[in-house]
Amino acid sequence: ISWQRGQLIGAGSFGKVFFGLNTTSGELMAVKQIEYGGQPSASARSTAHALQREVRCLQSLQHANIVRYLGVERDDVSGVLSIFLEYCAGGSIASLLDKFGAFNEALTRSYLRMVLSGLHFLHTRPGGGILHRDIKGANVLVDALGVCKLADFGASKVLQADLTSSDGCRSLRGTPYWMAPEVIKQTGHGYP
């Protein structure tokens, strides 16, 4: 993708998200940039593997309530990986709550229905579902038409079709304040 980087939209634990412009098509996009260092250290390799998993996961997802993956660019000279994603003009649910205050019941119901539709799609994928493992207001984006979309699949896990809730989902991933007790205790968890 031929593109130009714009202003910073947000930052997380893994990287920064910038406003981007596809200079060929004119499409506006979000560009998630992660520094991986370009050095062959154990930490850099671990980061690179996590990013590869996230990109593979995003490439396989096409649903109205999941942020659309557009492409990836790797710059080994500067040690930066850029993931191109659909731009959601409304920002996150967390930022909308900060700007507008508490949502009324009808809007909450509408947003929740869309989030659950995206989760259902993830959980029921043929050949094995996906656990997002980091659902929170900052990772649910809203486009200009008010459509909620799940974003940030950095903590996600692809499950085998025959995996039950206690067979091996004991890893601790996500944001602690939004984790279920069984995840924190590492007693085994599944889709719910």
Side-chain angles (χ1 to χ4, degrees), residues 124-144:
T124 58
R125 287 181 62 239
I130 295 175
L131 295 177
H132 186 282
R133 301 198 299 185
D134 201 16
I135 300 291
K136 59 184 179 181
N139 290 340
V140 179
L141 304 180
V142 181
D143 72 9

Side-chain angles (χ1 to χ4, degrees), residues 32-192:
K32 181 177 181 179
Q33 290 195 312
I34 301 103
E35 293 183 20
Y36 63 90
Q39 301 298 326
S41 70
S43 173
R45 279 192 296 274
S46 174
T47 300
H49 289 302
L51 295 173
Q52 287 173 340
R53 277 194 313 272
E54 182 175 2
V55 168
R56 272 196 309 271
C57 179
L58 285 167
Q59 287 173 329
S60 69
L61 303 176
Q62 289 188 2
H63 188 272
N65 301 115
I66 295 176
V67 170
R68 189 169 38 100
Y69 167 83
L70 303 172
V72 66
E73 176 183 88
R74 182 175 155 178
D75 182 349
D76 287 329
V77 174
S78 60
V80 174
L81 183 78
S82 299
I83 301 172
F84 305 108
L85 302 163
E86 170 185 11
Y87 175 66
C88 293
S92 70
I93 292 230
S95 69
L96 290 175
L97 283 167
D98 286 341
K99 291 175 189 171
F100 298 104
F103 302 146
N104 64 39
E105 188 176 332
L107 183 57
T108 302
R109 195 171 30 249
S110 175
Y111 282 172
L112 188 55
R113 187 176 302 115
M114 289 183 261
V115 169
L116 291 174
S117 175
L119 282 174
H120 181 264
F121 170 77
L122 291 175
H123 294 179
T124 58
R125 287 181 62 239
I130 295 175
L131 295 177
H132 186 282
R133 301 198 299 185
D134 201 16
I135 300 291
K136 59 184 179 181
N139 290 340
V140 179
L141 304 180
V142 181
D143 72 9
L145 299 175
V147 177
C148 284
K149 297 174 181 274
L150 296 174
D152 195 349
F153 285 79
S156 66
K157 179 178 181 78
V158 178
L159 295 181
Q160 303 305 318
D162 59 351
L163 186 66
T164 64
S165 65
S166 61
D167 281 340
C169 290
R170 297 179 191 278
S171 56
L172 189 63
R173 295 282 187 273
T175 306
Y177 288 124
W178 286 271
M179 285 182 182
E182 61 272 16
V183 175
I184 292 173
K185 292 177 184 175
Q186 296 178 313
T187 57
H189 58 277
Y191 297 116

